[in-house]
Amino acid sequence: MLVLGWLTLGLGIVMGQQTARRLFGERSRLTLFFAAPALCLSLLLLTGTYLRSWFAPEMVVPLTFFLFCTGTWVMSRRPPPALLDQPVPKSVWLFLGLGLPVILLYALFEQTTGMVVDGDFFVHVASIGLFEEGHYPPLNFFLGIPTNGHFGRQLLIAQFSRFTGLEYLEADWILTSTLQMLAFALLFCLIWSHTNSVSQAALGCGF
């Protein structure tokens, strides 16, 4: 099942790239590089929300694989826009090469301190544990009634843990850090594509 889980994640990245290019019309190779895994995780959360409502937890991975196969095939039949021939300046690689490690260190630091001072940490961990045990939706710990929202991050961590075989705390650290780096890179690409200015994109990400 773990092999199928990793294959599904790889297929999800392909589907994310196809979605960004063929459905959203993205033409920048750099943006597609970062959008592919970001959309893969979004699709993983979307499928998990519905599949966990209707099927047993053991069926989530194979059904997601089937949906990703179908989605990739459907997207491949749409004509893609031509990719931009614009080369990526060295200043962009320099900024991302310096900025992404800083974001990674910041994310790891925040998670390290958050485990100590975050009062909601144990509530979030309990929700992830409920997801991994097959409980969906999770119960409100104070009222004892089903929670109908505000658990997207916990559900995504549980999904990532099930697909990769990682412990949920390992999945939490990896996924949270990855999402922050992807958000940083995609924000840079968005500003750069609209302004055609590396300095403005760098300032926009900095603030």
Side-chain angles (χ1 to χ4, degrees), residues 59-80:
M59 296 298 297
V60 171
V61 175
L63 287 175
T64 303
F65 179 77
F66 171 76
L67 291 175
F68 281 5
C69 285
T70 304
T72 302
W73 177 76
V74 171
M75 288 298 169
S76 67
R77 297 178 62 85
R78 295 176 62 96

Side-chain angles (χ1 to χ4, degrees), residues 149-196:
H150 197 59
F151 53 74
R153 175 177 171 273
Q154 295 94 295
L155 177 58
L156 182 57
I157 292 170
Q159 283 279 90
F160 190 72
S161 175
R162 176 171 291 275
F163 278 73
T164 60
L166 297 171
E167 294 292 335
Y168 66 88
L169 285 179
E170 295 175 331
D172 187 354
W173 277 60
I174 294 173
L175 194 59
T176 301
S177 302
T178 301
L179 286 172
Q180 293 194 47
M181 289 191 295
L182 288 174
F184 174 81
L186 287 172
L187 177 61
F188 175 85
C189 292
L190 175 66
I191 300 175
W192 182 41
S193 66
H194 280 76
T195 64
N196 201 28

Side-chain angles (χ1 to χ4, degrees), residues 22-95:
R22 297 172 184 265
L23 184 62
F24 299 149
E26 180 57 53
R27 301 173 59 199
S28 168
R29 289 183 173 88
L30 184 64
T31 303
L32 288 172
F33 177 79
F34 292 110
L39 285 172
C40 170
L41 294 174
S42 299
L43 293 168
L44 194 67
L45 178 59
L46 181 64
T47 54
T49 301
Y50 291 99
L51 292 180
R52 286 175 179 265
S53 299
W54 302 329
F55 300 97
E58 295 77 15
M59 296 298 297
V60 171
V61 175
L63 287 175
T64 303
F65 179 77
F66 171 76
L67 291 175
F68 281 5
C69 285
T70 304
T72 302
W73 177 76
V74 171
M75 288 298 169
S76 67
R77 297 178 62 85
R78 295 176 62 96
L83 294 173
L84 296 176
D85 293 330
Q86 177 186 10
V88 179
K90 293 182 179 179
S91 56
V92 170
W93 295 118
L94 178 63
F95 177 76

